[in-house]
Amino acid sequence: MNFVNLLKIALKALNNNKLRCFLTMLGIIIGVASVITMLAIGQGSKNSIKDQIPRWVQI
């Protein structure tokens, strides 16, 4: 099988299974968004703690 045939078969399968394709894309989008959000929360917490350390040392 060549690449063009494989591409045609893949596109036909995606077209026949629209709901499954949508749900898969939705799951991937939600997963990536949650990972990015958790990394941002962790980074913000780390920066907040680093900013507060000099205040604790001065007390």
Side-chain angles (χ1 to χ4, degrees):
M1 290 193 136
N2 59 14
F3 182 73
V4 177
N5 277 346
L6 292 176
L7 187 61
K8 285 180 184 178
I9 292 170
L11 291 175
K12 190 173 184 180
L14 288 175
N15 194 29
N16 289 340
N17 299 310
K18 290 178 185 172
L19 181 62
R20 184 186 298 176
C21 181
F22 170 74
L23 291 174
T24 302
M25 288 190 323
L26 186 64
I28 291 171
I29 291 168
I30 291 172
V32 169
S34 66
V35 168
I36 291 172
T37 302
M38 293 305 292
L39 288 174
I41 290 171
Q43 206 57 22
S45 298
K46 184 165 64 170
N47 290 340
S48 175
I49 291 170
K50 281 183 179 180
D51 291 343
Q52 291 178 5
I53 287 176
R55 293 183 201 155
W56 293 338
V57 173
Q58 291 175 356
I59 294 176

